[in-house]
Amino acid sequence: MIDVNGKWALVTGASRGVGRQVALGLAEKGCNLVLHSRASAHTASLAAELKNAGIKIRELSADLADTQAARRMAEQAETLSGGIDIIYNNAAIMTPWREPFTAPPQDYHDSFTVNVISPIIICDVIVPRMLERGFGRVINVTSGIQDQPELMPYAVSKAALDKYVKDLALRLSGTGVVMSLLDPGWLRTDLGGSQAPNAVESVLPGALVPALLNDTAESGGYYRAQEYRNG
Ligand SMILES: NC(=O)c1ccc[n+]([C@@H]2O[C@H](COP(=O)([O-])OP(=O)(O)OC[C@H]3O[C@@H](n4cnc5c(N)ncnc54)[C@H](OP(=O)(O)O)[C@@H]3O)[C@@H](O)[C@H]2O)c1
């Protein structure tokens, strides 16, 4: 495990759910944070909660449905931090539950823009700089969703993100930049719904595992947060 004390992490979708837990977990390890959501007001309470945590905090807003806003946000994160060490691409949307074969193209469009294209753009901006610096941890949050064709636009967007990570892995080998996938498990969040079997807090400590990997770890790893849960 690496020491992230004093490093900088960009956590997208940090205002609630998984992203908030990841931010709290990294803060506990002394990691400075760029907290992202759609509006800075959404991360204000988390930033206030972390005020005395002894870390530096910056807040950025961008609607990831707008890929140009995603690019600007990633650039700003680099500038504000002096260099992002950890990208936690967590923000995502779930499309409405619809009968198979009825989802409108817009569902696929929205899902791919927020869940795939913007996270990739964030990587496009920051990962080349990580490679120059010789260090980076990139975590793209995926899903173990399967056999739910009613959520197809969401499910195929996560499959695309998986493919992105798997196919980049070889290029990152030996660079000091390690890119991984994290499946948080089915959690009671706004996205996961109230029927989910797991409390959002159960995503820790597992969600931090891919952020704390040693340099010798290979990219392309698929980590399931629920496998690391306490108790
Ligand atoms: N919960 C589950 O059961 C589950 C299962 C498998 C995978 N996941 C994955 O885990 C990740 C987090 O999910 P969650 O359950 O924590 O979701 P959540 O509670 O709904 O939180 C979503 C976060 O993403 C941000 N966000 C949403 N739409 C956005 C947009 N258009 N632009 C920018 N930010 C946006 C939200 O910011 P605002 O506050 O500004 O809206 C919020 O911080 C996602 O990648 C999801 O696919 C979740």
Side-chain angles (χ1 to χ4, degrees), residues 12-20 36-39 42 62-66 89-94 114-115 141-145 154 158 182-193 196 200:
T12 71
S15 54
R16 50 197 164 95
V18 172
R20 189 171 177 282
H36 157 269
S37 68
R38 284 177 302 167
H42 299 179
D63 187 339
L64 299 184
D66 175 351
N89 261 329
N90 160 76
I93 53 165
M94 168 88 87
V114 176
N115 300 355
V141 178
T142 185
S143 170
I145 190 168
Y154 172 78
K158 291 298 186 181
L182 184 281
D183 169 13
W186 189 15
L187 310 168
R188 290 187 292 279
T189 64
D190 293 338
L191 187 150
V200 68

Side-chain angles (χ1 to χ4, degrees), residues 130-146:
M130 287 177 159
L131 289 167
E132 278 174 18
R133 296 190 286 260
F135 179 87
R137 297 291 176 270
V138 184
I139 302 93
N140 289 316
V141 178
T142 185
S143 170
I145 190 168
Q146 56 182 357

